[in-house]
Amino acid sequence: MGSLAQSGCGRPARVVTLCVCVSLLGGLTFGYELTVISGALLPLTLEWGLSCWGREVVVGSLLLGALLASLVGGFLIDGCGRKRAILGSNLVLLAGSLGLGLARSLAWLILGRLAVGFAISVSSMACCIYVSELVGPRQRGVLVALYEAGVTVGILLSYAIGYALAGAAGGWRAMFGWALAPAGLQSVSLLFLPAGTEDSAGLGDLVPLQDAERPRQPRYSFMDLFRARGNMRGRMALGLGLVLFQQLTGQPNVLSYAATVFRAVGFHGGASAVLASVGLGVAKVAATVAAMGLVERAGRRALLLAGSALMAVSVSGIGLVSFAVPMGLGPRCQAVPAATQHNALPGGTSLPPKPRASRDPWQPILSPEETTMPHPGARGVTASPGPVLGATSPEPSSPASENHLLRWAALVCMLAFVSAFSLGFGPVTWLLLSEIYPAEVRGRAFAFCNSLNWATNLVVSLSFLHLLGAIGLSWTFLLYGLTAALGLAFIYFFVPETKGQSLAEIEQQFQSLRFPLGSGRGQSSASIRYCRVEAS
């Protein structure tokens, strides 16, 4: 690691090691907070007798806090600095987690979730930018992708802790508190890191051969993001296009309704829950680790192209398989009657003497023959902690011999879809967003794209039921496949390659309009020549 650390920006190995901790622990905190509600919602509902509306608000309040943070977080990141923004968000996370652990009313629970959502959104943006600026070109892609790996590990950790604490009295309070451990360790790591890099000095080190003068770092305002100056309009179009296609491919719904899809094609009972939560989580981790190893070898563009192509094929395959197995949907979610709160586990089973977690952490408390509305995911990297459809609907009776191949075809397509997203759009989108904008407005540009990401995620998630009712499950997933194909074309024609380039080199290429929007195809970092000069 020491030899790698000395490349690029000349950072010592200690800085790279601490950046690894900051990125991994930041992602772990994000993933844990995002999905811890899946394990806490059931005991919380049984203890407080939450109505359907109450459960929806508890789950959705984190999304609202994250959306608010994405609107104002960019100004905090650029104004206060990346390091201070992360430390400040961890303090907000501390306050929110304590509020959740000590909550005695629904209002305090919602306020705590709002605070946590705000904190993890600001931290996620600041972490990617901060790490990308501290390390050299050879480590930047790996360390930003490491954040995505931390997110997936955090999801799996939340499932494990939720299962372990489900039978404990007040276990849901401890579930919320465990997020403080990685956030605290991340804060300690930050104390030994510098506040940031000298971007202006970095820009002065690299000068195009055709211009012998030392370049001046231009100053940008927020409104410049939408103007032609410095090719900012093209950069924003590139960033917004990436986050739009990341969500419009239906990734939140495919993951959130993974258990439902497995039931629809023949996987019944606890098997669908295991496949949805653990099997897909392991696939995401494996694919993200593969992306970490390939992002600086194959390049960002190659991973996006391969991931989008595989997503288009696999999600279309799910749609084709579902043609053979119709899926019935219940009308709506209902509150838990007070007389049945202690035996209203999903599927109509009753609580044993020692309470335990539901076999499917995605399933809500439902009345017979009812289903619940979905809740959106977040950031485009993970499944929403919302409930699934068809959790208590009667299991269709079809011969195993007829559905055997269909079951495994659906499983293969689902695993391929999840892996493809974690190989391409998952880590690479946020890596590119941390690279393509000038340092002065990088936080605001990143946050603006992130706000569109959250908003699109919400629209895609809430439109799922309407699409199912209008065109059916098969055509819905085929529509997602078409969107993935359009995303593939967008990447092929418009997304440039930034592999192996410093942030200063990327900035100069955009400044000179060497790869404006519309010239991504065939773009190579070798097309522009640079020389290093000594700054006087």
Side-chain angles (χ1 to χ4, degrees):
M1 177 175 289
S3 60
L4 288 176
Q6 296 297 334
S7 65
C9 295
R11 295 290 181 182
R14 178 181 62 86
V15 171
V16 176
T17 302
L18 290 172
C19 284
V20 168
C21 296
V22 169
S23 185
L24 182 62
L25 292 171
L28 196 150
T29 304
F30 185 95
Y32 183 88
E33 288 286 17
L34 188 65
T35 52
V36 66
I37 192 64
S38 65
L41 190 60
L42 176 61
L44 182 61
T45 301
L46 293 175
E47 182 176 331
W48 286 16
L50 292 180
S51 64
C52 182
W53 176 86
R55 296 196 297 273
E56 290 178 344
V57 172
V58 169
V59 174
S61 54
L62 183 136
L63 174 66
L64 178 59
L67 180 59
L68 292 175
S70 66
L71 296 175
V72 302
F75 296 91
L76 297 175
I77 295 171
D78 285 335
C80 302
R82 287 69 158 127
K83 179 178 177 179
R84 290 181 180 177
I86 300 173
L87 291 173
S89 66
N90 286 343
L91 289 177
V92 176
L93 180 69
L94 171 63
S97 297
L98 289 176
L100 289 171
L102 302 175
R104 300 296 176 184
S105 66
L106 181 61
W108 279 108
L109 200 66
I110 293 171
L111 286 176
R113 293 278 291 170
L114 282 170
V116 168
F118 188 94
I120 64 173
S121 181
V122 172
S123 178
S124 67
M125 295 183 291
C127 274
C128 292
I129 297 173
Y130 182 64
V131 169
S132 70
E133 292 176 345
L134 278 186
V135 299
R138 292 171 57 184
Q139 301 95 35
R140 189 171 63 242
V142 175
L143 290 185
V144 176
L146 186 63
Y147 185 93
E148 191 72 16
V151 171
T152 309
V153 173
I155 294 173
L156 294 177
L157 182 63
S158 73
Y159 290 152
I161 292 179
Y163 179 82
L165 297 177
W172 60 269
R173 299 181 185 273
M175 293 180 199
F176 290 127
W178 270 102
L180 295 177
L185 291 174
Q186 184 196 45
S187 298
V188 172
S189 300
L190 283 167
L191 296 178
F192 298 95
L193 284 170
T197 56
E198 298 76 27
D199 295 287
S200 58
L203 279 173
D205 286 342
L206 293 166
V207 182
L209 287 177
Q210 65 267 24
D211 185 5
E213 296 182 1
R214 179 185 179 92
R216 293 182 180 180
Q217 183 181 7
R219 299 185 63 84
Y220 294 96
S221 66
F222 178 75
M223 294 308 300
D224 286 329
L225 296 178
F226 312 100
R227 295 171 180 155
R229 179 192 175 201
N231 197 23
M232 292 303 301
R233 188 181 300 160
R235 303 192 212 194
M236 287 305 299
L238 175 60
L240 295 175
L242 285 173
V243 298
L244 276 175
F245 281 111
Q246 182 191 57
Q247 296 298 329
L248 292 178
T249 52
Q251 185 264 350
N253 292 336
V254 174
L255 286 175
S256 299
Y257 298 93
T260 303
V261 173
F262 287 141
R263 287 189 183 91
V265 297
F267 288 95
H268 304 302
S272 59
V274 173
L275 288 171
S277 60
V278 178
L280 296 183
V282 171
K284 283 178 68 66
V285 172
T288 306
V289 171
M292 290 171 54
L294 294 173
V295 68
E296 294 297 348
R297 297 180 182 180
R300 288 85 158 128
R301 178 179 161 85
L303 290 184
L304 283 173
L305 288 171
S308 297
L310 185 55
M311 286 175 68
V313 173
S314 56
V315 77
S316 299
I318 298 173
L320 294 175
V321 168
S322 64
F323 269 119
V325 185
M327 181 179 180
L329 302 178
R332 58 189 175 87
C333 173
Q334 288 186 344
V336 182
T340 61
Q341 287 179 13
H342 297 289
N343 63 359
L345 281 177
T349 60
S350 56
L351 277 171
K354 180 179 180 181
R356 63 178 177 86
S358 168
R359 288 181 303 174
D360 190 347
W362 299 73
Q363 295 179 358
I365 304 295
L366 297 177
S367 59
E369 301 179 0
E370 296 289 343
T371 55
T372 183
M373 296 291 289
H375 296 286
R379 208 193 169 206
V381 293
T382 57
S384 142
V388 296
L389 300 172
T392 60
S393 57
E395 297 181 359
S397 57
S398 56
S401 57
E402 296 180 5
N403 288 335
H404 181 74
L405 292 178
L406 291 178
R407 290 184 210 147
W408 291 105
L411 174 59
V412 170
C413 289
M414 186 70 73
L415 292 174
F417 180 86
V418 169
S419 301
F421 181 86
S422 298
L423 184 69
F425 272 123
V428 178
T429 296
W430 309 107
L431 172 58
L432 286 173
L433 290 181
S434 66
E435 292 178 329
I436 64 176
Y437 299 113
E440 190 174 354
V441 290
R442 189 171 291 142
R444 282 164 283 181
F446 196 109
F448 185 82
C449 292
N450 197 33
S451 64
L452 181 66
N453 175 74
W454 285 96
T456 308
N457 187 292
L458 177 62
V459 171
V460 170
S461 298
L462 294 181
S463 66
F464 188 66
L465 281 179
H466 300 284
L467 281 175
L468 286 180
I471 62 178
L473 179 69
S474 300
W475 288 108
T476 297
F477 280 86
L478 289 175
L479 179 62
Y480 292 154
L482 175 62
T483 307
L486 293 176
L488 178 66
F490 174 83
I491 294 166
Y492 182 76
F493 288 106
F494 300 135
V495 176
E497 180 59 72
T498 59
K499 176 186 69 172
Q501 301 177 58
S502 69
L503 295 178
E505 290 173 321
I506 296 171
E507 174 63 20
Q508 286 192 8
Q509 290 192 47
F510 271 112
Q511 280 290 331
S512 60
L513 301 182
R514 292 301 183 112
F515 54 53
L517 188 68
S519 64
R521 184 167 67 94
Q523 176 67 34
S524 171
S525 59
S527 61
I528 298 181
R529 299 172 59 206
Y530 292 89
C531 68
R532 186 169 296 278
V533 298
E534 295 295 333
S536 57

